[in-house]
Amino acid sequence: MRIRSARRSDLRRLQDIERAAGEPFRALGMADVADDEPPPLELLESYRAAGRCWVATHPDTRPDTRPDTRPDTRPDTPADDGPVGYLIADPVDGAAHIEQVSVHPSAARLGIGRALIDHVAAWAESQGLTALTLTTFSDVPWNAPYYTRIGFTVLSEDQLTEGLRRIRAEEVGNGLDRRPRVCMRREPARIVLPRPVALSSVRTPARTSRTDVVSGER
């Protein structure tokens, strides 16, 4: 597996990944999430230009979680280097807030979502950020229960920073509180090594909505 900074030529593929990653929500009666439009190209480009959009490719090798701080001077993405997952993040109150992480269902259960999160954890440490944060559905198996397994903990209401309160208010305004949601936090050093997973394993895709983390790995 290779994790690298996103290129402009990747962005439409990231939208395709987002659409595909939303489909498992339909089986949970969450058609509104499944039908949610992916981030617009302009928004993805703003993350790419800021150096806060990463993609995962080649799910057949071990992940490299070191932050890639080199300028991307390589040519556009060749066919065999196309993304199968992506993550975008914002600095929020001294932490790296994972705005979205999604993995295409065809590459689920291969550790790609976990590798992307570990990669951004290393990046956060290199930027002097103190933790990772995210918001997610509490009762979707590939959301909060998954993040708990990889080192995140649920924050109580009095533990929320002003930035996280603002994010939650935006989610309420967008109708995301039809199902219970939580804020979660993980210290950057808490990298939980994945258990080996056979490539032939049954795949359970992951995702969440626009202002949320998607993983089911995801």
Side-chain angles (χ1 to χ4, degrees):
M1 180 192 311
R2 180 183 177 211
I3 296 177
R4 58 169 174 79
S5 296
R7 303 170 186 151
R8 188 173 289 110
S9 57
D10 294 325
L11 301 186
R12 291 192 184 278
R13 172 61 178 164
L14 304 191
Q15 290 183 315
D16 292 340
I17 290 170
E18 193 63 39
R19 292 185 186 97
E23 282 303 310
F25 285 87
R26 204 175 299 282
L28 299 181
M30 300 171 71
D32 54 329
V33 175
D35 294 334
D36 197 13
E37 285 299 310
L41 291 175
E42 295 79 7
L43 179 62
L44 291 172
E45 170 58 18
S46 71
Y47 279 99
R48 187 203 68 80
R52 291 185 278 107
C53 179
W54 297 269
V55 302
T57 68
H58 297 307
D60 55 346
T61 57
R62 297 183 64 184
D64 181 356
T65 60
R66 294 172 296 180
D68 184 2
T69 58
R70 298 171 298 172
D72 190 356
T73 57
R74 292 164 294 186
D76 282 349
T77 308
D80 62 352
D81 194 35
V84 294
Y86 80 98
L87 184 152
I88 55 178
D90 288 311
V92 174
D93 296 335
H97 183 75
I98 300 172
E99 174 67 16
Q100 191 72 18
V101 52
S102 297
V103 175
H104 195 282
S106 66
R109 298 293 296 239
L110 297 177
I112 294 172
R114 186 192 305 253
L116 282 162
I117 290 169
D118 288 346
H119 186 86
V120 81
W123 172 83
E125 284 193 303
S126 76
Q127 301 298 305
L129 300 173
T130 58
L132 303 180
T133 60
L134 58 87
T135 63
T136 193
F137 292 110
S138 63
D139 59 354
V140 172
W142 56 86
N143 282 187
Y146 168 74
Y147 296 118
T148 298
R149 292 197 300 273
I150 62 171
F152 284 85
T153 57
V154 174
L155 296 176
S156 64
E157 188 67 24
D158 60 2
Q159 290 176 308
L160 302 186
T161 65
E162 285 304 310
L164 290 176
R165 291 179 191 278
R166 185 179 65 253
I167 290 168
R168 287 291 295 118
E170 291 172 356
E171 292 180 346
V172 171
N174 290 331
L176 285 178
D177 271 26
R178 297 188 186 109
R179 295 282 286 261
R181 288 176 68 78
V182 292
C183 291
M184 304 186 77
R185 177 182 173 100
R186 186 181 105 174
E187 304 307 315
R190 292 194 67 183
I191 295 179
V192 181
L193 296 177
R195 295 190 298 261
V197 177
L199 295 183
S200 59
S201 296
V202 175
R203 296 171 174 179
T204 304
R207 143 181 171 53
T208 58
S209 83
R210 263 349 28 95
T211 54
D212 185 49
V213 171
V214 178
S215 178
E217 174 288 11
R218 227 184 190 292

